[in-house]
Amino acid sequence: MNSLTNPVPLLQDLIRIDTTNPPGDEIACVEYLIDRFAHRDDLDIKVLGPSRDRANLIVRFPGRGVAPPLLLHGHSDVVPVTGQDWRHPPFEARLVDGEVWGRGSVDMKGGLAMMVSSLARLHEAGQRPAGDVVLAVVADEEHGSIAGARWLTREHPELFSGIRYAVGEEGGAGIELGGQRFHPIVVAEKRACWFRVTLRGPGGHASRLAPPQTPMRQLGHLLTALSGVRLPRHLGPAAHRMLTELAGHLPDPLAGRLRSLRDDDSDAPPVGLPEDQALQIDSLLRNTVNPTVVRAGDKINVVPGEITVDLDGRILPGDHTRDEFVSELRALIGPEPPLELLVEGFAVDQSRIPEPEFGGFYETLADITRKADADAAPLPMMSPASTDAGFFAQLGIRCYGWLPMKVPAGSPYRTLLHRADERIPVEALEFGTQCMTALLRDYR
Ligand SMILES: [Zn+2]
């Protein structure tokens, strides 16, 4: 039985292949998929990567040749489960009460399963999409894409030549406000900009008074300066359109609050919105930073002489540069200590990502979601997270984050990305697969 049309068993298999990154080992996932495609002789299959275990899979499905090729991209790696307390084991992919449990069920092996199943459904129906479909199953998305989309787009841009549009994950951009459900269509993304700060100073035996400038004390200052801060406001076109459409679908006073958030330059924190949504929307109006990893001493009787702190920074799309971001951080922490750049998402040469496009392809995505779920509104969004879309965008491809899931209002699924108990309803998987199949049939 080689049918891939049912995304549920496919997703279960994918979850059981542990691709926790680091180290990734995405080759296991790639080999599994190649095996599942083996019965088709009409596919062009390539495996490429900087090393054998960090493999990317590129499969070209033939179309009718009346439209440019379409890119569907998804990552096969997942984030670790260390320190998380799961109700069901994260790599067993148990089906419990209509939900598939496991790491990657939403982010984004579920999305991969939707893509693969929709391609299989079209094939079984004897249909072909308007153009070739290039399925890119990429490595390393959760750790800077160095072995994945970044490597592929630099080393093998020819694989993507002629592609005009791409669909990938939405990076958890979904939002729900005032009881109204929305289907996010991500048209712009922030990019990661990760730094390491090394604090050095006098250490020594912990049985005596410590001198004033220990790294521990510096750490206190640094964390205080950078935790929960709102960097300066920069309202861009994607956030502007998103706030406008959100307001258009919601009643007052919510609508009015969203409009004033859009129009009021005073940059007061959002009021009258639930905290989660307020934080999410506020994050789209500015660069953000969060200290996430602290490495300090490991002996209770030694004052450490060196502490490192990793900072997860996110930069707005458009013209916003790393230099601008660094000066915003410097305004808070002063001229010291040095900020060592660990990873900068896609704009390595500080090149610009194009402004969002709301043309025909966007409308096709919006129409499909409207028809599939009349009670929810499609919503153009900027994602606070960065996905691989930015790399493909640098090849001139217009990228959209679109993995539709129909889930009840108030359900936790989108907020479980990277957390314990990540899971996806079977119904949501089926809904997404149907939408994706409609896209393969409808896109021009
Ligand atoms: Zn993801």
Side-chain angles (χ1 to χ4, degrees):
M1 178 62 186
N2 209 337
S3 175
L4 289 168
T5 52
N6 184 352
V8 176
L10 175 59
L11 172 59
Q12 288 178 297
D13 284 350
L14 292 173
I15 290 172
R16 287 170 190 144
I17 302 170
D18 183 352
T19 48
T20 299
N21 184 13
D25 280 335
E26 295 89 344
I27 182 69
C29 217
V30 167
E31 283 173 343
Y32 165 84
L33 286 171
I34 289 178
D35 195 47
R36 302 301 307 271
F37 291 138
H39 65 295
R40 291 192 49 179
D41 54 14
D42 59 334
L43 306 182
D44 177 15
I45 298 179
K46 289 189 171 68
V47 179
L48 307 129
S51 64
R52 192 189 168 275
D53 45 337
R54 308 308 302 272
N56 300 283
L57 173 67
I58 308 287
V59 188
R60 200 172 181 106
F61 294 76
R64 303 195 305 277
V66 297
L70 171 70
L71 173 64
L72 302 182
H73 62 96
H75 62 90
S76 57
D77 62 322
V78 296
V79 293
V81 295
T82 335
Q84 297 178 353
D85 190 16
W86 285 66
R87 273 188 280 160
H88 297 288
F91 298 105
E92 287 185 12
R94 289 188 193 167
L95 185 56
V96 183
D97 296 333
E99 298 171 328
V100 180
W101 284 65
R103 173 54 83 227
S105 52
V106 177
D107 184 15
M108 70 163 287
K109 287 173 172 173
L112 273 180
M114 292 175 194
M115 290 172 177
V116 171
S117 290
S118 62
L119 286 159
R121 284 182 189 186
L122 223 67
H123 182 65
E124 281 215 352
Q127 297 171 325
R128 284 186 169 201
D132 287 358
V133 174
V134 176
L135 173 70
V137 181
V138 299
D140 206 21
E141 193 272 345
E142 300 288 7
H143 207 70
S145 306
I146 294 155
R150 180 192 292 256
W151 184 89
L152 269 179
T153 50
R154 267 199 206 155
E155 302 295 322
H156 293 283
E158 76 283 356
L159 294 172
F160 308 100
S161 72
I163 294 176
R164 195 183 297 163
Y165 300 112
V167 167
E169 68 179 315
E170 31 111 314
I175 196 164
E176 206 180 278
L177 257 179
Q180 168 74 45
R181 288 183 301 113
F182 293 96
H183 286 294
I185 302 174
V186 173
V187 295
E189 294 187 348
K190 293 172 102 174
R191 68 179 193 269
C193 186
W194 296 344
F195 292 107
R196 176 163 298 159
V197 178
T198 303
L199 306 170
R200 293 193 179 88
H205 204 287
S207 63
R208 294 175 296 152
L209 276 176
Q213 268 318 306
T214 60
M216 228 14 129
R217 191 180 166 98
Q218 299 172 46
L219 175 69
H221 288 303
L222 185 79
L223 296 185
T224 307
L226 293 181
S227 297
V229 292
R230 295 169 80 236
L231 297 173
R233 168 187 159 107
H234 312 280
L235 178 71
H240 190 280
R241 168 111 185 215
M242 176 190 146
L243 288 171
T244 305
E245 298 224 4
L246 265 179
H249 283 100
L250 291 167
D252 271 322
L254 216 44
R257 287 178 190 139
L258 290 160
R259 274 185 219 106
S260 62
L261 202 55
R262 180 193 63 192
D263 300 332
D264 179 7
D265 288 330
S266 73
D267 199 25
V271 287
L273 303 174
E275 186 180 44
D276 246 24
Q277 283 83 346
L279 290 173
Q280 183 177 353
I281 293 172
D282 210 11
S283 303
L284 302 180
L285 307 179
R286 64 201 73 249
N287 301 323
T288 59
V289 64
N290 274 300
T292 50
V293 180
V294 175
R295 291 185 186 86
D298 57 4
K299 270 186 78 63
I300 195 166
N301 59 354
V302 177
V303 176
E306 183 175 305
I307 295 176
T308 64
V309 183
D310 292 354
L311 304 176
D312 181 332
R314 306 286 170 147
I315 302 180
L316 288 163
D319 284 329
H320 301 283
T321 62
R322 189 205 320 158
D323 292 344
E324 171 193 75
F325 179 49
V326 168
S327 56
E328 291 175 356
L329 297 180
R330 287 283 173 220
L332 298 170
I333 65 172
E336 291 289 329
L339 296 166
E340 176 199 346
L341 182 68
L342 297 179
V343 166
E344 181 171 9
F346 40 84
V348 259
D349 47 4
Q350 308 234 9
S351 58
R352 292 181 65 249
I353 299 300
E355 295 294 2
E357 188 186 282
F358 295 100
F361 191 81
Y362 174 84
E363 287 306 330
T364 301
L365 300 178
D367 272 352
I368 290 169
T369 34
R370 261 185 227 112
K371 277 183 206 142
D373 184 5
D375 298 333
L379 179 68
M381 289 202 66
M382 185 207 303
S383 169
S386 36
T387 72
D388 284 331
F391 296 102
F392 297 112
Q394 294 206 340
L395 300 178
I397 299 171
R398 294 289 180 169
C399 295
Y400 299 85
W402 187 71
L403 290 178
M405 289 173 38
K406 186 179 180 182
V407 290
S411 65
Y413 304 103
R414 276 201 176 90
T415 61
L416 292 173
L417 271 74
H418 296 202
R419 299 200 194 162
D421 294 343
E422 183 181 350
R423 60 194 187 274
I424 190 169
V426 166
E427 260 178 83
L429 267 179
E430 176 55 30
F431 178 83
T433 306
Q434 286 176 15
C435 287
M436 204 64 72
T437 310
L439 172 66
L440 297 179
R441 286 194 179 119
D442 290 358
Y443 99 93
R444 295 281 169 267

